[in-house]
Amino acid sequence: MFAIIGCQAEAKSQAEPGQKDEQELMDKPKNKSKPELTPLQFHVTQEKGTEAPFSGEFYNHFVKGAYQCVCCGNKLFDSDAKFESACGWPSFSKPADKTNVSESDDSSLSMTRTEITCESCGAHLGHVFNDGPPPSGLRYCINSASLKFVEADSAGD
Ligand code: FE
């Protein structure tokens, strides 16, 4: 009897393709490669947006730990490299590992800048400038909305 019910349910879904499409549409937003992002996180990481200065969660955040990609969890920056830049965005002198971020030329907004993205998933993170502190002389200017912070204790560091 149970088998018959199962067959009927299957036959019903095949007989109504419209209903099946609807189900597929409902399933589509559940992108398994990315967690659910807030509208701002989506705008920054997927549409190369920029959060308003002095508005982000981490611009004035100085706690020991690691900053990961909000989309994929790739470790991007250590708190040891974070410094106060007064620019309004989280600023780092270097990435946790240079191979975890990608650099590319960005000539949008009538400026020549170097865009920084997550090497693992391609999420837009921010830009890098040549006005950082020694020894690197670099300032990785990163949107808080592209980051997820893991405190040192919970990160196992
Ligand atoms: Fe990522």
Side-chain angles (χ1 to χ4, degrees):
M1 183 180 174
F2 290 113
I4 292 169
I5 290 169
C7 287
Q8 282 174 335
E10 212 168 278
K12 191 184 173 193
S13 79
Q14 281 172 358
E16 295 175 28
Q19 196 172 10
K20 197 179 177 187
D21 289 347
E22 203 171 288
Q23 186 61 45
E24 281 174 4
L25 277 173
M26 283 171 68
D27 289 343
K28 208 174 181 183
K30 294 173 190 167
N31 187 337
K32 289 187 174 68
S33 66
K34 293 185 177 69
E36 279 190 31
L37 302 175
T38 67
L40 179 63
Q41 288 170 335
F42 184 88
H43 177 57
V44 168
T45 61
Q46 310 301 305
E47 301 175 332
K48 302 187 186 301
T50 302
E51 69 198 16
F54 304 103
S55 71
E57 188 180 356
F58 300 126
Y59 83 89
N60 196 25
H61 178 265
F62 291 92
V63 179
K64 192 166 172 53
Y67 293 86
Q68 303 176 344
C69 173
V70 73
C71 298
C72 75
N74 186 20
K75 186 178 175 183
L76 300 172
F77 299 97
D78 278 313
S79 57
D80 292 349
K82 198 169 187 298
F83 64 95
E84 286 191 61
S85 70
C87 72
W89 291 277
S91 298
F92 302 88
S93 57
K94 61 176 184 179
D97 187 322
K98 257 217 142 185
T99 62
N100 288 3
V101 298
S102 290
E103 296 186 5
S104 57
D105 292 337
D106 175 9
S107 56
S108 65
L109 304 177
S110 304
M111 290 185 276
T112 303
R113 298 179 294 174
T114 302
E115 181 193 2
I116 299 297
T117 54
C118 172
E119 173 62 30
S120 177
C121 74
H124 172 76
L125 305 174
H127 295 85
V128 61
F129 301 96
N130 292 316
D131 58 7
S136 74
L138 298 173
R139 173 171 59 96
Y140 287 80
C141 183
I142 305 299
N143 290 278
S144 296
S146 67
L147 299 173
K148 179 171 65 178
F149 180 72
V150 181
E151 265 197 74
D153 284 345
S154 54
D157 291 340

